[in-house]
Structure formats: structure tokens, C-alpha cells
């Protein structure tokens, strides 16, 4: 909203100065509209051809005022343009670093975690085909997959949960999760930060229990819901991650295709 207001101000300010100058010179110097507009523009831009000059004292004073306002307006416009360019470059750098952090997460933990979560999902066989990303996919296919995932239940079967193994794995990636959350670039990506917090919360829930065996059904159902939350967020983030790799890093995308966590027995080895 602040950016929109600033843009509106940058557009309206020079227009206001030109209109004030034009009608002012028409009234004071008795110039025609075209000549007054022409004189205002040449004055503001400091071109000053000299073919039209103020002939009255009031006109000269008004010309000084318009010149000062005109120079200030031009400087304001140039400053805002430079700020916009710098901010755009900074956003690009932050976005690039953020995507690199997400890439590290999936390489170090995310893909394995997806494979684990999918093993708890009784309906995964019915949607596994949807996750078979190929090198021919366009943005439309990725968007279709995201729509499909938002509608998907991401059901977790409590009887399939291997809580001790899940706890052991999450404990092993604890340092990675903390390092990621400490990075200021993550703050700008709310969905990814939410994913990390969901995984950290699941880790903390498991760590808080003195034993993960013989838990009450209600407690297992509670943990299954925590897994479901992280699972749903993880699949969506994985889709964005794959689309980013395809557009920016084809060689990394090639490896990601071969190690797709939703493929049965994925292998990085190229056979054909």
C-alpha cells in the first residue's frame, strides 16, 4: 500500500506542477495555453530556449518558484526511480538466497521427509502419478498440481506411524531446522517459515514424550494430525521448489527428477 501511495504521489506531483505553471503563466503573462505549457515544460526541465521569457515582475517571480518546484520534482522522480531499481535488485537477491536455502533443506532433509510422510498416507498410491514431474512440464502443470494438492486430504493412518523412527530422524535434522529459521531471508516467505515451524513443532511434540510406545489412541491421533499439517505444507513447497529448479537450474532439476521422493525406488543413476 505504501508503495502504491508513493507511486501515485510521484505521478501526480509533476502533473500538478505543470498545470499550475501553465495556468499561472496564462494568467500572469497572458500567454496562450500552448505557449504557457511549452514555457512551463522548458522551465521545469531547465532547457530554457529563451524564445519565451517572462515580461512582468510577477511573471519573473512566478518563474523562479516554478523552476525551484520543477527541479525538486525532477529530483524526487529520479530518487524514487533509483530507490525502485535498488529495491527490486535487493528483492531479487533475497529471493535467490531464499530459494537456495529451500534447496538446501530439500537436499538435506525435505525429500527424505516427504518419503517418510508418504509412507504414512494410505491414499498415496491413488495420487502418486500426479507427482511424476517431467522435464516437459510447464507452469500450467505445476499450478494444476498445486491445485490438486490443496484439494487432497493428505490423510495419515495412525496405525502406519513409526513414531520412534520419525523422532530419531527429526532429531537428526534439528540443527538444520534451527539454522534455517534463524536466517532473516526466511521471514519474507511465510509459507516456508510455516512449514519449518510445523516440522519443529512435530519434533518437539515427539521429544516431549518420555516414551513413544503404548501411547493412548487419542494422543496418537493428535500426533497424526501434526504429521498431516507438516505433510500438506511440505508437498506444496516441494512443488514450488521443483518449478524453481526447472526454470533456473536445469542440471539440479535433472537430479531432482531422478530422486523424486514420490517415485517407487527412485535412483540417481541414469540408465538410458
Amino acid at each position: 500500500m505504501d508503495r502504491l501511495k508513493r507511486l501515485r504521489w510521484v505521478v501526480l506531483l509533476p502533473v500538478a506542477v505543470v498545470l499550475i505553471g501553465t495556468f499561472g503563466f496564462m494568467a500572469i503573462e497572458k500567454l496562450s495555453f500552448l505557449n504557457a505549457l511549452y514555457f512551463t515544460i522548458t522551465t521545469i526541465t531547465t532547457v530554457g530556449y529563451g524564445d519565451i521569457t517572462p515580461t512582468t515582475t510577477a511573471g519573473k517571480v512566478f518563474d523562479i518558484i516554478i523552476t525551484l518546484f520543477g527541479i525538486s520534482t525532477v529530483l524526487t522522480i529520479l530518487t524514487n526511480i533509483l530507490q525502485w531499481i535498488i529495491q527490486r535488485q535487493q528483492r531479487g537477491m533475497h529471493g535467490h538466497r531464499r530459494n537456495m536455502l529451500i534447496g538446501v533443506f530439500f537436499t538435506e532433509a525435505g525429500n527424505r521427509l516427504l518419503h517418510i510422510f508418504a509412507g504414512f498416507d494410505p491414499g498415496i498410491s491413488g495420487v502418486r502419478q500426479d507427482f511424476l514431474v517431467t522435464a516437459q512440464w510447464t507452469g500450467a502443470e505445476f499450478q494444476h498440481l498445486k491445485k490438486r494438492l490443496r484439494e487432497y486430504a493428505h490423510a495419515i493412518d495412525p496405525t502406519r506411524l513409526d513414531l520412534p523412527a520419525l523422532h530419531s530422524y527429526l532429531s537428526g535434522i534439528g540443527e538444520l531446522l534451527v539454522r534455517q529459521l534463524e536466517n532473516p531471508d526466511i521471514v519474507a516467505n511465510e509459507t516456508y517459515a510455516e512449514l519449518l515451524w510445523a516440522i519443529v513443532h512435530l519434533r518437539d511434540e515427539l521429544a516431549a514424550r518420555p516414551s513413544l510406545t503404548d501411547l493412548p489412541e487419542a494422543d496418537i491421533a493428535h500426533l497424526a494430525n501434526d504429521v498431516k499439517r507438516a505433510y500438506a505444507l511440505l508437498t506444496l513447497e516441494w512443488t514450488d521448489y521443483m518449478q524453481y529448479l526447472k526454470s533456473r537450474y536445469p542440471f539440479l532439476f535433472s537430479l531432482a527428477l531422478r530422486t523424486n521422493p514420490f517415485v517407487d525406488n527412485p535412483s540417481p543413476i541414469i540408465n538410458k
Side-chain angles (χ1 to χ4, degrees):
M1 184 59 71
D2 291 339
R3 190 183 307 167
L4 183 61
K5 288 182 179 179
R6 187 169 60 184
L7 178 62
R8 189 182 297 121
W9 174 258
V10 169
V11 172
L12 291 179
L13 182 61
V15 172
V17 173
V18 170
L19 289 177
I20 292 171
T22 300
F23 288 109
F25 284 123
M26 288 176 64
I28 298 173
E29 293 294 321
K30 310 303 180 184
L31 297 174
S32 66
F33 174 79
L34 182 59
N35 282 339
L37 176 62
Y38 166 75
F39 184 40
T40 301
I41 296 297
T42 56
T43 299
I44 291 175
T45 57
T46 68
V47 174
Y49 291 113
D51 50 344
I52 300 178
T53 58
T55 58
T56 65
T57 301
K60 292 176 181 179
V61 172
F62 185 71
D63 182 59
I64 292 172
I65 295 173
I66 289 296
T67 301
L68 293 175
F69 271 102
I71 293 174
S72 300
T73 299
V74 172
L75 290 176
T76 299
I77 293 173
L78 291 177
T79 300
N80 277 274
I81 291 175
L82 288 175
Q83 286 179 343
W84 178 79
I85 293 173
I86 293 172
Q87 289 173 354
R88 185 176 181 182
Q89 290 176 338
Q90 289 177 337
R91 285 195 299 270
M93 289 187 295
H94 286 311
H96 181 64
R97 287 199 297 264
R98 195 159 56 243
N99 285 314
M100 289 180 65
L101 287 169
I102 294 173
V104 169
F105 167 76
F106 275 100
T107 300
E108 297 294 324
N111 287 330
R112 176 59 183 163
L113 200 54
L114 268 176
H115 183 75
I116 294 172
F117 287 162
F120 304 150
D121 182 359
I124 190 63
S125 59
V127 297
R128 196 181 295 276
Q129 189 68 27
D130 294 337
F131 291 96
L132 300 184
V133 180
T134 70
Q136 285 71 45
W137 272 34
T138 63
E141 277 85 6
F142 283 106
Q143 291 306 309
H144 175 75
L145 176 57
K146 290 187 71 173
K147 181 176 182 297
R148 178 80 170 87
L149 288 172
R150 290 191 182 98
E151 298 170 350
Y152 183 58
H154 291 91
I156 298 297
D157 183 355
T159 63
R160 295 189 179 191
L161 290 175
D162 186 347
L163 297 178
L166 181 59
H167 176 223
S168 176
Y169 182 73
L170 292 179
S171 298
I173 64 171
E175 185 179 349
L176 171 66
L177 296 173
V178 171
R179 287 203 312 268
Q180 293 255 321
L181 284 169
E182 287 176 344
N183 195 299
D185 288 320
I186 294 302
V187 177
N189 190 328
E190 293 182 2
T191 56
Y192 182 58
E194 186 179 357
L195 165 63
L196 293 178
W197 279 119
I199 297 173
V200 169
H201 173 72
L202 175 60
R203 181 202 64 179
D204 292 345
E205 283 275 8
L206 296 173
R209 287 158 175 77
S211 174
L212 295 173
T213 59
D214 300 322
L215 293 174
E217 289 186 7
D219 196 39
I220 295 176
H222 174 80
L223 292 172
N225 190 60
D226 288 335
V227 172
K228 176 181 177 179
R229 182 188 302 111
Y231 181 31
L233 292 169
L234 190 57
T235 53
L236 285 170
E237 196 62 51
W238 178 82
T239 305
D240 286 338
Y241 165 65
M242 292 293 285
Q243 185 174 7
Y244 174 74
L245 287 186
K246 185 179 185 300
S247 63
R248 291 292 299 271
Y249 298 105
F251 60 98
L252 294 177
F253 180 64
S254 173
L255 178 60
L257 290 179
R258 286 176 273 129
T259 56
N260 186 330
F262 294 100
V263 174
D264 288 325
N265 302 316
S267 173
I269 298 174
I270 300 175
N271 293 315
K272 60 179 179 178

